[in-house]
Amino acid sequence: MKLRKNMKLGLSFIFLLLTLTSCLSLINLTKKNNTLEENTLSLSPTTGDDFYEFNNDRFSAYDLSPYEQVWLGLINGRGVQYDDDWYNITVSPGEERLVVFLSFFHGDGDIDIDVYDSNGFFVASSTSITDNEYIDIVVSLAGIYSLRVYFGNAGNEYDLMWDDMSPSLFDDSYEENDGPGNATNLTPSKNMWLSSVNGLGIQGDEDWYTINILPGEERLKVVCLFSNSLGNINLDILDSAFNPIYNSWTLEDGEFVNTILPSPGIYYIRVYYGDGGNVYDLIWDSLPLIGGEDDPYEQNNLVNDAYWLGQDEQTYLSDLRGMAVQGDDDWYAIEVTPGFLNLEVELNFSR
């Protein structure tokens, strides 16, 4: 769950945030969002909306064409659905399969998404009443399309990512990784979404990935995002001898791993099950076990020892020094800029 509080602030000051022991902001991204137990710190403009405004109609749409396979949060922060938000994308010739991920927490307000062609004609939509929306279609022509993010107008935050690919492409660029002997090495891509490494994964058959866990970093987190309605996907973690260590087998959108591994070394991530050509995104991280099970932001157990995040606005902790671990009180300090009256803090974790 997430609780967002907008705080009216009259001047610049240092705000000391006690995560987990306070109730500023909680989001559950366990199965259906796009982060790995990550905290987002962001400030919105005084309008209360996001940094893509004003994009309230098709003619003022924000152009995401240069940002294929990039999550919105990594461009200019997450979107905020106070009103209709429009984005333009460009589908390339020969890549008419259009995939769109819209990630949000439904409990903060429902959000839907539509696709329109360059003439303003409706093409497709995703309008569920759960977390997240997904679109996976083949459009008739290459060219400019518009994405409309709309519905509840509750000020709910969201993230969005799009990709186009060949309609005849039944598998991804990580092939042939159908078994442990051909596993794709994701060790250099720690804390990176698969979409930003070499494109989205496609679960047309078993996909194997290998990672190297360093001594002292045996806490493993993995998130695999996909639409279950388009084909279920399971997730296994295996050791170097192919012994199963952990699995995530749900009937929900996405799978999530959060486990302490028995030792450092080589491990395998196995993505498999439906073999229906469903697209997915994946990210992994390992955390140092400092002081038992703590994080690289220690020692920040007291207000006077708060970790300084003042220069890291709109940045996930995982993009700084890795994800945090709530083994004790964790304090962080931020600075609010004059004139920015809405403070938004996200704390994402697996309940």
Side-chain angles (χ1 to χ4, degrees):
M1 58 180 292
K2 179 181 80 174
L3 174 63
R4 182 190 301 122
K5 292 186 178 178
N6 290 333
M7 307 180 65
K8 299 297 183 180
L9 304 170
L11 48 84
S12 175
F13 65 97
I14 300 300
F15 184 84
L16 295 172
L17 170 64
L18 173 58
T19 65
L20 299 175
T21 57
S22 69
C23 299
L24 277 174
S25 177
L26 299 177
I27 279 187
N28 185 355
L29 297 178
T30 304
K31 303 292 183 187
K32 303 177 181 178
N33 219 317
N34 61 337
T35 51
L36 276 166
E37 194 170 314
E38 299 169 348
N39 302 344
T40 300
L41 205 56
S42 63
L43 298 178
S44 294
T46 56
T47 60
D49 220 317
D50 53 53
F51 291 95
Y52 306 97
E53 294 291 331
F54 292 95
N55 61 338
N56 301 339
D57 55 49
R58 188 169 64 89
F59 301 102
S60 58
Y62 189 94
D63 189 15
L64 291 180
S65 297
Y67 301 106
E68 180 181 354
Q69 299 178 349
V70 181
W71 285 95
L72 200 64
L74 299 177
I75 301 171
N76 203 9
R78 293 171 181 255
V80 181
Q81 204 277 303
Y82 276 116
D83 48 31
D84 285 11
D85 292 336
W86 289 76
Y87 302 92
N88 280 346
I89 60 175
T90 301
V91 175
S92 302
E95 298 184 348
E96 288 84 3
R97 182 180 178 182
L98 174 61
V99 177
V100 183
F101 284 69
L102 177 65
S103 176
F104 63 93
F105 178 58
H106 179 82
D108 279 354
D110 193 18
I111 302 179
D112 292 336
I113 186 169
D114 292 344
V115 180
Y116 293 83
D117 66 16
S118 58
N119 295 314
F121 291 108
F122 174 83
V123 175
S125 67
S126 179
T127 59
S128 75
I129 54 173
T130 60
D131 292 356
N132 305 332
E133 302 293 346
Y134 300 89
I135 288 177
D136 187 348
I137 59 172
V138 176
V139 296
S140 58
L141 296 171
I144 296 175
Y145 288 82
S146 298
L147 308 178
R148 178 193 177 205
V149 179
Y150 69 103
F151 191 70
N153 297 345
N156 192 4
E157 285 197 343
Y158 63 87
D159 214 344
L160 183 145
M161 189 269 294
W162 75 279
D163 192 11
D164 60 354
M165 59 188 70
S166 170
S168 61
L169 185 65
F170 190 69
D171 229 321
D172 53 53
S173 56
Y174 306 98
E175 295 293 327
E176 296 286 334
N177 63 339
D178 302 339
N182 298 316
T184 300
N185 184 14
L186 290 184
T187 301
S189 306
K190 180 180 178 181
N191 272 328
M192 293 177 61
W193 284 105
L194 204 63
S195 56
S196 64
V197 178
N198 201 13
L200 292 168
I202 301 178
Q203 204 279 302
D205 50 28
E206 291 197 8
D207 292 336
W208 287 71
Y209 303 93
T210 182
I211 57 176
N212 185 20
I213 303 299
L214 298 178
E217 295 187 357
E218 289 86 1
R219 183 164 187 166
L220 175 66
K221 306 293 182 69
V222 184
V223 167
C224 181
L225 291 180
F226 60 92
S227 172
N228 184 70
S229 65
L230 299 176
N232 194 20
I233 296 177
N234 287 341
L235 198 64
D236 287 351
I237 306 299
L238 304 96
D239 64 17
S240 58
F242 315 124
N243 298 307
I245 301 298
Y246 192 93
N247 59 63
S248 182
W249 306 339
T250 74
L251 297 176
E252 302 181 35
D253 292 343
E255 300 294 345
F256 183 85
V257 170
N258 179 2
T259 189
I260 303 296
L261 300 172
S263 62
I266 300 298
Y267 287 84
Y268 293 93
I269 301 172
R270 178 191 179 205
V271 181
Y272 69 105
Y273 189 70
D275 297 345
N278 192 6
V279 295
Y280 65 89
D281 211 352
L282 183 143
I283 189 171
W284 77 278
D285 194 12
S286 60
L287 296 179
L289 303 180
I290 301 172
E293 286 185 27
D294 230 316
D295 55 53
Y297 306 97
E298 297 291 335
Q299 296 289 327
N300 63 339
N301 303 339
L302 302 173
V303 62
N304 291 333
D305 299 319
Y307 189 91
W308 175 242
L309 294 177
Q311 305 301 317
D312 300 306
E313 181 181 352
Q314 297 184 351
T315 305
Y316 291 116
L317 284 186
S318 61
D319 293 330
L320 297 178
R321 299 182 62 192
M323 293 182 293
V325 178
Q326 202 278 309
D328 49 32
D329 285 6
D330 292 335
W331 286 80
Y332 300 89
I334 64 174
E335 183 174 4
V336 177
T337 305
F340 285 68
L341 304 182
N342 295 311
L343 174 64
E344 296 178 0
V345 182
E346 293 182 16
L347 176 62
N348 305 325
F349 65 97
S350 170
R351 186 174 181 85

